[in-house]
Amino acid sequence: MDLPADLAAALDAAAADLPLRELEASVERLMARYRAPGRPDRPIVGGRVDAVAYAAYRMPATWGAVRAALSAAGERVPGFAPQSLVDVGGGTGAAAWAADGVFGSLTEIVVLDQVGEALELGRRLARDAFSGALRHAQWRQARFPGEIPGADLVTVSYVLSELATADQEALVRAAAAGAGTIAVVEPGTPDGYRRVIGARDVLIGMGMRVVAPCPHSDGCPLVGTRDWCHFAARVHRSPLHRRLKGGDLGHEDEKFAYVVATRDAVPQESPARILRHPQIRKGLVMMQLCEPEGTTAQVLVSKRQGDVYRAARDVEWGDVWPPTERAG
Ligand SMILES: C[S@@+](CC[C@H](N)C(=O)[O-])C[C@H]1O[C@@H](n2cnc3c(N)ncnc32)[C@H](O)[C@@H]1O
């Protein structure tokens, strides 16, 4: 997927104000900090240069992950049209841009974060957005734990790892308390998956139902195995992104884990979710599925199955199976 043209242009303009060398140094520092184990003792994004470096280097990937997660949720609940969004720990607004792209119904957006410079940049990036909801978004400084305003949709994207375990649960509870629907997105690592499972347990305990990726609200069948549920979003890189990230690839594959849960009604029938890249061999497609019964299964589709086989050749990791149930 491509970053929205208005966001890409705004990122270019923000980066153009700063020497490339300063941005590169800040990216190096941010990369080292995000890869380091343990939680930070102070905000990772420490000032204006860091905010621009974060936005140029990470925002396309987090935007892609949230967009994929919300699209999957939207496919599961046809007609879901949230009007209000609260983006918790929203930083420069990646999740707000993603939500606005998926749900054109949004009219009110509030982004909350502890770092004033990140919010300031987020406001500037959204100043000339095509979307009125983004142009008029509110960017509010707030430090969690604390109360979180309610909304039809609440996003918590790449935030939990910056909090102590007890605070993660408190944040998810506070974010879900006034949410119609909530999306929690984390990096697609075993640790990110564990944090998502923690959030999922809290949300189910609060009476919410899982919309995506799971086709059920029972325990995750991958807990206690060496596997973990995660997906990938392919985002095309802009020239600025390539300069800052190095390498020649025209895209990056952001691995992410997520859960979307809701208080709204969800369709009774849940299609299975494809947990890995389907393996295509001669005349055979092999898929690993998470099934509505709360179990995983390996499914083989052979060429002799005609239309089903052709459909199996077209589906991807993260899609639902069978695909006919995807349309929304
Ligand atoms: C990795 S960034 C993610 C930003 C954005 N949500 C995204 O997906 O690109 C984590 C954000 O969480 C914010 N954050 C972390 N702990 C926080 C706290 N206790 N209170 C408020 N914001 C917090 C940070 O300031 C930072 O902007």
Side-chain angles (χ1 to χ4, degrees):
M1 48 185 129
D2 284 309
L3 211 56
D6 43 352
L7 176 54
L11 283 172
D12 280 347
D17 286 354
L18 294 166
L20 189 60
R21 210 171 297 156
E22 254 185 76
L23 283 178
E24 283 169 343
S26 180
V27 162
E28 284 293 317
R29 201 186 65 78
L30 292 175
M31 279 168 69
R33 194 56 202 90
Y34 281 119
R35 283 187 189 138
R39 109 197 135 82
D41 45 11
R42 59 195 151 90
I44 294 178
V45 171
R48 179 168 159 255
V49 178
D50 276 0
V52 175
Y54 177 86
Y57 152 68
R58 279 301 291 156
M59 198 176 168
T62 59
W63 167 84
V66 180
R67 188 179 165 99
L70 293 180
S71 300
E75 284 170 2
R76 284 282 296 113
V77 190
F80 177 55
Q83 294 193 334
S84 54
L85 169 77
V86 169
D87 183 16
V88 179
T92 54
W97 279 84
D100 185 74
V102 175
F103 303 114
S105 51
L106 286 174
T107 54
E108 266 176 61
I109 295 178
V110 176
V111 183
L112 306 172
D113 202 281
Q114 64 184 347
V115 177
E117 285 89 349
L119 294 166
E120 203 40 61
L121 177 62
R123 181 183 287 119
R124 180 176 162 197
L125 294 176
R127 197 173 50 198
D128 296 321
F130 299 148
S131 148
L134 281 168
R135 280 198 310 277
H136 298 117
Q138 295 176 45
W139 303 82
R140 288 192 209 150
Q141 198 159 5
R143 182 167 168 74
F144 317 115
E147 242 178 67
I148 294 174
D152 298 338
L153 176 63
V154 172
T155 47
V156 184
S157 154
Y158 289 80
V159 178
L160 298 183
S161 68
E162 299 193 16
L163 303 172
T165 311
D167 290 342
Q168 291 172 18
E169 181 175 332
L171 174 64
V172 172
R173 270 186 201 290
T181 297
I182 179 168
V184 178
V185 184
E186 284 287 301
T189 57
D191 280 346
Y193 162 70
R194 270 192 290 278
R195 289 189 290 272
V196 165
I197 288 298
R200 185 180 184 274
D201 288 346
V202 170
L203 299 174
I204 293 169
M206 292 174 77
M208 297 180 100
R209 293 191 64 77
V210 178
V211 177
C214 334
H216 59 85
S217 298
D218 301 328
C220 173
L222 297 182
V223 167
T225 72
R226 287 180 11 201
D227 203 357
W228 69 99
C229 181
H230 65 292
F231 304 93
R234 176 160 291 187
V235 182
H236 295 127
R237 286 173 162 177
S238 67
L240 167 68
H241 203 228
R242 272 207 292 270
R243 270 202 304 279
L244 285 173
K245 281 209 154 174
D248 296 328
L249 273 185
H251 63 262
E252 67 175 324
D253 288 320
E254 173 68 9
K255 305 266 173 57
F256 64 99
Y258 75 100
V259 61
V260 180
T262 191
R263 292 180 205 288
D264 297 342
V266 283
Q268 292 276 315
E269 292 284 302
S270 303
R273 180 77 54 188
I274 301 170
L275 295 180
R276 288 270 167 277
H277 280 304
Q279 306 285 309
I280 303 180
R281 307 255 183 281
K282 255 194 162 174
L284 213 56
V285 181
M286 196 164 69
M287 289 182 280
Q288 194 194 347
L289 302 179
C290 184
E291 300 187 303
E293 297 76 22
T295 47
T296 58
Q298 294 272 5
V299 171
L300 288 177
V301 180
S302 89
K303 204 166 189 173
R304 270 173 291 165
Q305 288 172 268
D307 285 350
V308 180
Y309 172 73
R310 278 184 284 283
R313 284 184 60 109
D314 284 347
V315 289
E316 292 179 3
W317 180 15
D319 285 348
V320 291
W321 179 260
T324 42
E325 310 222 17
R326 261 170 67 188

